[in-house]
Amino acid sequence: MRAGAQVLIVPTNTSSYSTAQVPTQEIAASEVQAVQQGRDLLQAAPTGYSAWITHRGVLLERSVLGSRQVVPATLDLRDGWTVYVHWGDTPVLVARPGPAGRLVAGRAPAGPRRHGNRLTADRLDYS
């Protein structure tokens, strides 16, 4: 975006996956990326899903998995920066009450603490 891209094109190849799970996750990631960048997105895949996604993350067209197909699309050329392009993850990290937010805000992360009858923790150890 900083170099002036007006549309996003995402090449992908999911030939090693025999089910729709990973190709569907790639579509979801492309939807998020289109919103983050504020650009229409075309995902091109020889074996997975090819798709057309608007700058608002709306999936308008998607190919059928495992078939040769052309996904016709009319993409809008857009310019300008979204809040995400301009600031990245910083606003989320600062607003987040977890340890990353406190580090960005200049405060040390806290450990577990008790609030009335509930115990809260900033770090959970599942080991």
Side-chain angles (χ1 to χ4, degrees):
M1 299 310 101
R2 295 176 190 267
Q6 295 181 304
V7 68
L8 299 174
I9 299 175
V10 178
T12 183
N13 186 353
T14 56
S15 63
S16 58
Y17 300 99
S18 60
T19 66
Q21 182 178 3
V22 172
T24 300
Q25 289 175 344
E26 287 188 341
I27 291 286
S30 290
E31 290 170 340
V32 170
Q33 186 178 19
V35 173
Q36 285 176 336
Q37 307 300 324
R39 301 292 187 267
D40 284 4
L41 184 145
L42 180 65
Q43 179 172 304
T47 57
Y49 288 128
S50 292
W52 170 24
I53 301 167
T54 71
H55 69 283
R56 297 196 182 271
V58 177
L59 176 64
L60 294 179
E61 189 73 38
R62 180 179 75 179
S63 66
V64 176
L65 191 61
S67 71
R68 290 179 87 174
Q69 187 177 355
V70 174
V71 177
T74 302
L75 304 174
D76 292 330
L77 300 179
R78 304 180 61 81
D79 54 18
W81 288 8
T82 63
V83 172
Y84 185 81
V85 170
H86 191 271
W87 293 99
D89 292 331
T90 303
V92 174
L93 293 173
V94 169
R96 183 173 173 242
R102 282 191 290 282
L103 284 175
V104 172
R107 295 179 292 170
R113 53 194 183 279
R114 189 166 288 285
H115 296 284
N117 289 332
R118 45 172 225 236
L119 180 66
T120 61
D122 294 325
R123 271 187 313 260
L124 298 176
D125 184 8
Y126 293 104
S127 57

